[in-house]
Amino acid sequence: MMTLTPPPASTDTTHLDLLNAALTDLFAPWVQAMGLRPVACAEGSVTLLLPQNDQLSRTGAMLCGQAMMAAADTAMVLALVHHFGGFRPCTTVQMATTFIRPLSAQDALVTASLVRVGKTMAFGEIDIQGANDGKCVCRASTTYALLP
């Protein structure tokens, strides 16, 4: 069983402020309504907190897969924002998601890590774990086109 530890928080709040501003300025209202909040960033990675929310849950307070995929995609865009120091137009080309176990009645930590950023493409991995128990619940692999 894999337990993940988020990267240490950046000591410079400027980075987290940039990510918070990007969440407000770049994403659709329904993504903002998920309540995602940047909690840590390091070179090549960003960690978001996804609060437990009945609107995103199924029976038994289980976080639904659609919410996990949206949070994963959002975290990866924010990892690219962090990498470039601001928004660079990009679009999701591919996302492969594996749901490992249910996440019930707790917040989620969504950590996006850049694997490679080239001139026209970026590749990343996202891990989602329970904020209370640290158990991995979802993994995703993504590819983004970096637009001119």
Side-chain angles (χ1 to χ4, degrees), residues 44-94:
S45 71
V46 166
T47 299
L48 306 178
L49 178 76
L50 174 60
Q52 196 283 326
N53 176 340
D54 290 340
Q55 296 297 312
L56 303 176
S57 298
R58 301 175 41 175
T59 304
M62 286 188 300
L63 182 62
C64 71
Q66 296 93 330
M68 285 189 255
M69 291 181 75
D73 191 48
T74 302
M76 189 53 65
V77 170
L78 290 176
L80 288 168
V81 167
H82 180 59
H83 174 79
F84 290 117
F87 179 66
R88 177 171 174 190
C90 60
T91 188
T92 309
V93 173
Q94 177 272 340

Side-chain angles (χ1 to χ4, degrees), residues 3-140:
T3 300
L4 304 169
T5 303
S10 170
T11 57
D12 183 356
T13 59
T14 304
H15 296 288
L16 296 179
D17 290 343
L18 172 70
L19 298 176
N20 275 308
L23 270 170
T24 301
D25 297 342
L26 302 175
F27 293 92
W30 69 268
V31 175
Q32 295 175 28
M34 292 174 64
L36 291 163
R37 185 170 42 91
V39 294
C41 56
E43 187 175 338
S45 71
V46 166
T47 299
L48 306 178
L49 178 76
L50 174 60
Q52 196 283 326
N53 176 340
D54 290 340
Q55 296 297 312
L56 303 176
S57 298
R58 301 175 41 175
T59 304
M62 286 188 300
L63 182 62
C64 71
Q66 296 93 330
M68 285 189 255
M69 291 181 75
D73 191 48
T74 302
M76 189 53 65
V77 170
L78 290 176
L80 288 168
V81 167
H82 180 59
H83 174 79
F84 290 117
F87 179 66
R88 177 171 174 190
C90 60
T91 188
T92 309
V93 173
Q94 177 272 340
M95 177 185 272
T97 307
T98 302
F99 301 102
I100 298 167
R101 65 178 341 113
L103 179 66
S104 296
Q106 64 178 304
D107 296 345
L109 291 173
V110 183
T111 300
S113 301
L114 298 172
V115 173
R116 181 180 184 284
V117 179
K119 292 180 182 178
T120 60
M121 301 292 284
F123 304 88
E125 299 286 331
I126 302 100
D127 295 301
I128 302 177
Q129 67 185 52
N132 296 345
D133 62 17
K135 292 181 179 177
C136 184
V137 298
C138 180
R139 300 229 33 200

